[in-house]
């Protein structure tokens, strides 16, 4: 049977759908929101590291490839509610506002992705208590000319451009206290990118990054880090942001300057929390409905991390992208293509 | 043959890791729960009230135990660990769920046992004496205004009439109308407490830090021994008569 269900209309799902359609498969793409593009679209990501390329240059063609392909049927505002049958004949119930229908598919691709970690649980950072403590995803929206502030970094409390900005790394990542000991794999480069964007737009604004390790392993990331220090004078301080307080309308942070061995207090106008990735509700729900294995953090577990990275614990159900663990946009697209190849060879 | 040139730092670590104090600390059951590697992130130091004012760093405590250098550990047991306020902020903030406060607690016990604590605790002699002879540790008399400038000018005013204030506050509680101790425990209660310290070996332990205090307590006990032991016997007899 040459029909494939793709769950999730983020970059991974879009790429997988397009590649499968190009190979002649009939694809149904189910997306719970009324737009495509997943978290990238939801938070209006503006530029992509390390090339500072506009997101629209990448996302628009990926969406257009899907919407213009007659082999792909896009179900927006839809979710799956039940699964029966086995490979290669799955019966899946798809629900939208009009009702529920059952369709038959030869294979299923789960590309339900991630959600940004909600820093409210890290109470010591004051997110959701102090207006000017924001997340990196919120900063993407602020820096986007199509966002709520038309691209100006206006701080939420009074709309002023901050003169001193601190960025906290590893919020909700590498942290046993919140149950996420893993690395988010994107926070370092995203923060470096945002620091450069801020310095480019507001050269007088001081930007401080509080970090434990700068993990610049991706293509061009280390060079971007060097550029941030050398060309933009972003100040990187080795020590994890520990606490935020508000005194007389002034944010104050505590950290340890671990290289100089001294605790420090620092008054700033705005704090950006580099919130990591967490498996989204959609991923957890899909795993439950489809009956596929998750790892201890809730991400989907491949059948074999090395030998069958895109196969789930159940034959005929495939997994790809950030629902398997934290991932950047560039590699989500690679995953989308990889899973398409695996699905095609399994349905032959 | 030329003489071997050694890197002084490397030599220090290699030659002393696994020393006596290190082993004593590591074999305590609390250490397993308190040390799971360290990211050197500094969260503990940033949250530590002691690190803000004194020469103390919870991160250094963890790093020191990971390195295991005997000389450093001994040095810490003699001085720095006594600056920890035992508030456990480090434990509840550490992203690796380490607890420098628990390591310090363990090290303090071992420091006392091994006789390393006397100098660091010398400043507590008055408090220890009050605990051992009167059963409570702080007395209004010990809170002289010049020692607590951060309590403000009101402190000077209050301390000049503390006896009057206590009499007013604790009407009908004669045991509280004292300023040379927090409250006046009965002699019998104090004697019982001292006996418990003696029997349990706690007094002996105190002796490793404050040797002369042991004599003071024993003298104190000796003075009332006859009277108090008679009371204990009477109490025993009463309990036996009641069939307990």
């Amino acid at each position: 049977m040459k029909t494939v269900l793709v769950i999730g209309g983020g970059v991974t799902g879009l790429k997988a759908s397009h590649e499968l359609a190009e190979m002649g498969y009939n694809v149904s793409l189910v997306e719970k929101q009324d737009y495509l593009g997943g978290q990238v679209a939801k938070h209006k990501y503006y530029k992509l590291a390390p090339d500072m390329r506009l997101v629209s240059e990448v996302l628009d063609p990926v969406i257009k490839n899907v919407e213009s392909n007659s082999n792909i049927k896009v179900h927006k505002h839809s979710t799956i509610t039940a699964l029966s049958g086995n490979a290669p004949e799955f019966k899946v119930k798809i629900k939208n506002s009009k009702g529920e229908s059952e369709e038959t598919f030869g294979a299923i691709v789960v590309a339900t992705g991630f959600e940004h970690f909600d820093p409210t649980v890290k109470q010591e950072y004051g997110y959701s208590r102090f207006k000017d403590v924001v997340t990196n995803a919120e900063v993407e929206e602020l820096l986007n000319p199509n966002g709520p502030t038309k691209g100006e970094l206006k701080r939420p409390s009074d709309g002023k451009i901050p003169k001193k900005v601190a960025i906290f790394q590893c919020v909700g990542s590498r942290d046993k206290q919140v149950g996420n000991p893993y690395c988010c794999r994107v926070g370092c480069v995203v923060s470096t990118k945002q620091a450069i964007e801020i310095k480019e737009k507001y050269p007088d604004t001081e930007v401080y990054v509080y970090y434990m390790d700068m993990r610049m392993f991706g293509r061009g990331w280390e060079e971007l880090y060097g550029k941030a220090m050398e060309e933009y004078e972003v100040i990187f301080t080795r020590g994890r942001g520990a606490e935020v307080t508000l005194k007389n309308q002034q944010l104050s942070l505590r950290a340890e300057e671990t290289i100089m061995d001294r605790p420090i207090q620092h008054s700033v106008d705005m704090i950006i929390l580099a919130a990591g990735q967490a498996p989204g509700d959609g991923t957890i729900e899909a795993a439950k409905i489809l009956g596929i294995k998750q790892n201890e953090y809730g991400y989907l577990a491949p059948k074999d991390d090395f030998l069958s990275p895109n196969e789930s614990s159940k034959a005929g159900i495939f997994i790809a992208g950030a629902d398997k663990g934290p991932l950047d946009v560039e590699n989500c697209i690679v995953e989308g293509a990889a899973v398409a190849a695996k699905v095609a060879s399994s349905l032959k | 043959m030329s003489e071997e040139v050694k890197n002084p730092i490397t030599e220090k670590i290699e030659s002393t890791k696994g020393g006596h104090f290190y082993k004593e600390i590591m074999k305590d059951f609390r250490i397993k729960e308190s040390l799971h590697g360290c990211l050197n992130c500094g969260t503990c130091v940033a949250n530590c009230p002691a690190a803000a004012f004194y020469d103390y760093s919870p991160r250094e405590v963890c790093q020191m135990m990971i390195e295991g250098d005997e000389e450093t550990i001994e040095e810490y047991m003699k001085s720095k660990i006594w600056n920890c306020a035992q508030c456990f902020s480090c434990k509840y903030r550490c992203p690796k769920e380490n607890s420098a406060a628990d390591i310090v607690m363990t090290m303090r016990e071992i420091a006392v046992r091994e006789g390393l604590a006397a100098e660091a605790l010398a400043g507590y002699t008055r408090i220890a004496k009050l605990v051992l002879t009167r059963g409570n540790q702080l007395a209004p008399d010990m809170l002289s205004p010049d020692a607590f400038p951060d309590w403000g000018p009101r402190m000077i005013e209050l301390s000049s009439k503390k006896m009057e204030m206590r009499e007013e506050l604790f009407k009908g509680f004669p045991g509280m109308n004292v300023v040379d101790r927090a409250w006046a425990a009965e002699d019998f209660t104090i004697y019982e407490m001292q006996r418990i310290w003696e029997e349990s070996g706690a007094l002996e332990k105190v002796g490793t830090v404050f040797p002369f205090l042991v004599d003071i307590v024993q003298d104190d006990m000796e003075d009332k021994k006859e009277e108090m032991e008679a009371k204990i016997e009477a109490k025993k007899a009463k309990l036996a008569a009641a069939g307990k």
Side-chain angles (χ1 to χ4, degrees):
Chain A
M1 191 176 289
K2 290 207 137 198
T3 55
V4 181
L5 169 68
V6 176
I7 307 166
V11 280
T12 310
L14 290 166
K15 181 68 177 171
S17 301
H18 176 234
E19 293 298 332
L20 285 162
E22 288 288 302
M23 289 187 268
Y25 292 90
N26 287 315
V27 178
S28 285
L29 176 62
V30 171
E31 166 58 49
K32 69 176 169 185
Q33 305 292 350
D34 56 3
Y35 53 82
L36 296 174
Q39 295 290 334
V40 179
K42 184 181 177 185
H43 293 287
K44 294 196 171 69
Y45 290 5
Y46 178 39
K47 283 179 177 174
L48 291 173
D51 324 281
M52 294 302 190
R53 200 167 166 189
L54 290 175
V55 168
S56 54
E57 282 178 32
V58 173
L59 189 61
D60 292 355
V62 174
I63 293 177
K64 204 174 151 239
N65 283 341
V66 166
E67 286 182 331
S68 63
N69 196 311
S70 57
N71 282 351
I72 306 172
K73 198 173 147 197
V74 179
H75 303 257
K76 286 180 193 166
H77 238 299
S78 303
T79 51
I80 58 153
T81 55
L83 168 83
S84 56
N86 285 305
E89 210 171 307
F90 292 108
K91 288 185 170 49
V92 181
K93 280 188 182 158
I94 299 170
K95 192 181 137 191
N96 62 20
S97 53
K98 287 180 198 135
E100 214 169 36
S101 62
E102 194 176 77
E103 289 186 39
T104 309
F105 300 100
I108 298 171
V109 173
V110 191
T112 42
F114 76 101
E115 268 168 32
H116 292 272
F117 174 79
D118 177 4
T120 313
V121 298
K122 290 292 288 178
Q123 289 184 19
E124 57 267 40
Y125 291 163
Y127 179 73
S128 79
R129 259 190 303 146
F130 308 141
K131 284 182 184 165
D132 296 330
V133 178
V134 298
T135 65
N136 47 1
E138 286 161 2
V139 168
E140 286 296 318
E141 287 184 55
L142 290 176
L143 292 172
N144 192 324
N146 298 318
T149 55
K150 299 193 163 48
E152 298 291 330
L153 187 75
K154 291 180 177 169
R155 60 177 198 171
S157 65
D158 56 9
K160 283 185 187 153
I161 307 297
K163 288 274 164 224
K164 281 182 186 175
V165 176
I167 306 181
F168 280 11
Q169 294 302 101
C170 300
V171 176
S173 316
R174 306 180 69 191
D175 187 354
K176 281 189 183 177
Q177 297 282 357
V178 298
N180 293 350
Y182 56 82
C183 168
C184 86
R185 293 206 255 171
V186 294
C188 288
V189 73
V190 168
S191 295
T192 306
K193 177 199 74 118
Q194 289 181 344
I196 290 177
E197 284 177 276
I198 293 168
K199 287 297 275 189
E200 213 154 47
K201 211 169 159 75
Y202 312 105
D204 294 338
T205 294
E206 294 167 23
V207 183
Y208 300 84
V209 179
Y210 286 90
Y211 72 97
M212 285 197 288
D213 308 285
M214 292 305 284
R215 297 186 158 172
M216 295 302 197
F217 54 89
R219 171 186 65 85
W221 292 9
E222 184 64 28
E223 293 92 315
L224 192 75
Y225 178 33
K227 209 165 134 184
M229 290 189 277
E230 293 163 36
E231 288 175 34
Y232 292 94
E233 292 175 2
V234 176
I235 298 157
F236 291 88
T237 305
R238 201 202 170 281
R240 191 172 185 146
E243 198 173 75
V244 180
T245 50
L246 187 70
K247 276 177 204 154
N248 306 325
Q249 308 302 314
Q250 178 78 51
L251 287 175
S252 173
L253 68 88
R254 277 176 186 276
E256 186 195 2
E257 220 289 27
T258 58
I259 289 165
M260 304 299 288
D261 269 342
R262 52 170 191 180
I264 50 174
Q265 259 185 312
H266 187 182
S267 295
V268 292
D269 303 322
M270 189 177 189
I271 292 175
I272 302 171
L273 305 178
Q277 299 191 8
D281 290 343
T283 294
I284 290 161
E285 218 173 300
K288 212 186 285 169
I289 293 167
L290 302 173
I292 53 177
K293 251 194 207 160
Q294 293 165 271
N295 70 13
E296 57 186 310
Y297 313 121
Y299 290 107
L300 305 181
K303 194 171 137 196
D304 184 311
D305 284 283
F306 288 87
L307 302 174
S308 22
N310 290 109
E311 290 168 58
S312 76
S313 57
K314 213 170 187 175
I317 301 181
F318 300 85
I319 55 179
D323 54 13
K324 288 160 57 188
L327 210 59
D328 60 316
V329 172
E330 198 173 329
N331 281 302
C332 278
I333 293 177
V334 173
E335 276 274 302
V339 77
K342 189 66 210 170
V343 171
S345 71
S346 80
L347 284 180
K348 224 173 170 184
Chain B
M1 229 173 93
S2 67
E3 215 172 288
E4 196 186 347
V5 182
K6 282 182 181 173
N7 176 330
I9 295 167
T10 320
E11 186 192 18
K12 188 178 164 203
I13 292 168
E14 282 171 359
S15 61
T16 55
K17 178 151 185 172
H20 171 67
F21 297 133
Y22 174 77
K23 281 187 195 152
E24 284 296 303
I25 297 164
M26 292 312 275
K27 82 181 176 203
D28 189 280
F29 71 97
R30 281 164 292 193
I31 299 298
K32 212 176 256 172
E33 296 293 320
S34 309
L35 196 56
H36 317 96
C38 171
L39 296 168
N40 262 322
C41 71
T43 303
C44 51
V45 174
N47 284 301
C48 175
F53 294 97
Y54 303 103
D55 183 15
Y56 170 70
S57 158
R59 182 168 64 85
E60 261 176 33
V61 170
C62 294
Q63 287 298 320
M64 169 188 67
M65 287 316 298
I66 289 165
E67 270 180 23
D69 177 60
E70 187 72 352
E71 250 175 66
T72 317
I73 291 173
E74 188 177 340
E75 203 45 53
Y76 262 73
M77 283 163 94
K78 281 181 181 162
S79 60
K80 283 190 187 178
I81 56 162
W82 301 96
N83 288 334
C84 165
Q86 290 281 286
C87 73
F88 288 78
S89 299
C90 49
K91 176 174 181 164
Y92 296 104
R93 290 277 168 88
C94 173
K96 292 293 273 180
E97 294 184 336
N98 291 337
S99 173
D102 273 296
I103 299 172
V104 164
M105 188 197 276
T106 310
M107 288 175 78
R108 284 182 178 182
E109 288 172 17
I110 294 166
V112 168
R113 200 169 71 210
E114 302 274 347
L116 297 179
E119 203 182 315
L121 293 179
Y124 295 91
T125 313
R126 263 201 325 161
I127 293 171
K129 188 190 160 209
L130 205 60
V131 173
L132 294 167
T133 57
R134 295 283 177 263
N136 47 81
Q137 74 269 45
L138 264 183
D141 268 354
M142 287 159 81
L143 303 173
S144 74
D146 22 312
F148 298 89
D150 48 328
W151 288 15
R154 182 104 170 99
M155 178 69 181
I156 301 166
E157 193 191 326
L158 291 178
S159 64
S160 65
K161 45 185 178 187
K162 50 195 166 200
M163 194 56 179
E164 291 94 313
M165 286 180 66
R166 282 184 78 101
E167 277 170 352
E168 191 60 32
L169 269 171
F170 301 112
K171 269 183 189 158
F173 296 93
M176 302 298 280
N177 295 334
V178 285
V179 285
D180 61 339
R181 62 201 114 145
W183 68 86
E186 277 181 38
D187 278 355
F188 183 65
T189 309
I190 295 172
Y191 186 76
E192 265 189 319
M193 179 185 75
Q194 289 169 334
R195 274 287 302 271
I196 292 169
W197 281 330
E198 199 169 46
E199 300 284 332
S200 65
L203 192 60
E204 200 186 332
K205 235 178 200 180
V206 168
T208 62
V209 184
F210 309 109
F212 52 91
L213 278 186
V214 177
D215 295 338
I216 293 176
V217 174
Q218 278 164 350
D219 285 352
D220 198 39
M221 289 173 78
E222 199 59 46
D223 289 346
K224 37 194 179 179
K225 191 174 177 182
E226 217 166 293
E227 187 191 345
M228 295 304 157
E229 288 297 334
K231 272 194 182 180
I232 289 174
E233 287 309 315
K235 206 172 175 181
K236 275 184 188 165
K238 206 175 160 190
L239 286 174
K244 288 176 185 172

